[in-house]
Amino acid sequence: GEDVEQSLFLSVREGDSSVINCTYTDSSSTYLYWYKQEPGAGLQLLTYIFSNMDMKQDQRLTVLLNKKDKHLSLRIADTQTGDSAIYFCAEGIRGSYIPTFGRGTSLIVHP
Amino acid sequence: DAGVIQSPRHEVTEMGQEVTLRCKPISGHDYLFWYRQTMMRGLELLIYFNNNVPIDDSGMPEDRFSAKMPNASFSTLKIQPSEPRDSAVYFCASSSLEDPSRTGELFFGEGSRLTVL
């Protein structure tokens, strides 16, 4: 199976919270990343969390990491139409700068 | 810095033709990656270079695909001959071990959308 798994689609109403989930398999992961891809553009790092952290908050974004279950989530509060994009979960391992990407979750925000 | 620059942004070609995609990484970055993105398979790592040397090309789908990095500021991905199933968006990305944040962040170009008829 894939090393990093995430659901392919998520649809939310504008103003609601979005939660995008991801599971990974490598327990030696050092960094867990969330990249955002807007339509017609390349991926851009949105946020990341070190593996020794449980949570990271950055304005409307909250990242939760459960190392025991190898589960990562990205919560976007007060989701806006501008948040519509594909969100990629990725894991990185100490000593390697080659992240492993999931297939991406398409977030659709409707009025 | 202008970021990772890819060309062309769009290419439409006929089956059997040669396609060359180009990438200029961020100055000072020592890793360069080529990815392919399709609806069916998501984001696939094709090949990556470290200090201009190909390190892992196990993701290159067939011998029709080749990649070169003649110097630190330029890389090409070539498909010869092209086939309709090669239609995809091809991304180049670069990163640096000297990245101050030490997070291994990849910086992506805007991609080259290839359509093979």
Side-chain angles (χ1 to χ4, degrees):
Chain A
E2 293 183 357
D3 295 314
V4 179
E5 293 191 1
Q6 43 184 140
S7 55
L8 294 182
F9 298 97
L10 176 66
S11 179
V12 299
R13 194 184 304 270
E14 190 175 14
D16 287 351
S17 292
S18 307
V19 180
I20 304 172
N21 295 301
C22 167
T23 57
Y24 61 97
T25 57
D26 198 321
S27 58
S28 59
S29 294
T30 308
Y31 300 99
L32 286 304
Y33 310 91
W34 285 105
Y35 281 79
K36 178 182 180 182
Q37 182 184 25
E38 297 188 351
L43 282 70
Q44 192 166 15
L45 183 65
L46 186 63
T47 187
Y48 64 91
I49 188 169
F50 294 110
S51 58
N52 62 358
M53 298 169 63
D54 298 324
M55 185 181 84
K56 180 179 180 181
Q57 189 147 5
D58 183 4
Q59 299 182 344
R60 293 190 297 120
L61 306 178
T62 302
V63 179
L64 295 177
L65 175 61
N66 181 327
K67 284 195 72 174
K68 175 176 171 289
D69 295 336
K70 299 188 180 68
H71 182 267
L72 182 74
S73 68
L74 172 69
R75 179 177 181 270
I76 305 172
D78 186 24
T79 312
Q80 303 297 307
T81 54
D83 295 323
S84 294
I86 303 175
Y87 293 80
F88 290 87
C89 172
E91 61 175 348
I93 300 168
R94 185 189 304 279
S96 168
Y97 279 73
I98 319 302
T100 300
F101 286 90
R103 291 196 59 181
T105 299
S106 289
L107 175 64
I108 301 160
V109 183
H110 53 89
Chain B
D1 201 309
V4 176
I5 299 172
Q6 292 187 243
S7 64
R9 289 294 315 277
H10 302 273
E11 172 117 2
V12 180
T13 191
E14 292 189 343
M15 183 174 65
Q17 296 297 306
E18 177 179 294
V19 173
T20 300
L21 308 178
R22 298 172 178 80
C23 174
K24 181 180 186 308
I26 292 173
S27 176
H29 280 191
D30 45 13
Y31 280 88
L32 184 139
F33 305 81
W34 281 101
Y35 286 89
R36 177 171 70 176
Q37 185 179 31
T38 61
M39 288 291 290
M40 291 294 293
R41 290 188 295 271
L43 196 66
E44 301 172 276
L45 176 62
L46 300 178
I47 184 171
Y48 75 92
F49 297 81
N50 178 220
N51 292 323
N52 312 340
V53 176
I55 303 301
D56 185 353
D57 65 355
S58 60
M60 296 284 262
E62 299 170 36
D63 290 345
R64 299 183 295 106
F65 286 69
S66 62
K68 293 181 180 179
M69 192 166 186
N71 57 61
S73 59
F74 183 66
S75 177
T76 60
L77 177 68
K78 189 172 291 189
I79 308 172
Q80 166 65 15
S82 58
E83 297 182 5
R85 59 196 167 117
D86 302 330
S87 297
V89 182
Y90 291 82
F91 287 103
C92 177
S94 69
S95 69
S96 172
L97 281 177
E98 302 305 317
D99 162 28
S101 67
R102 307 286 296 178
T103 60
E105 177 181 359
L106 263 61
F107 294 82
F108 283 78
E110 296 203 319
S112 294
R113 180 175 293 276
L114 173 64
T115 303
V116 183
L117 304 174

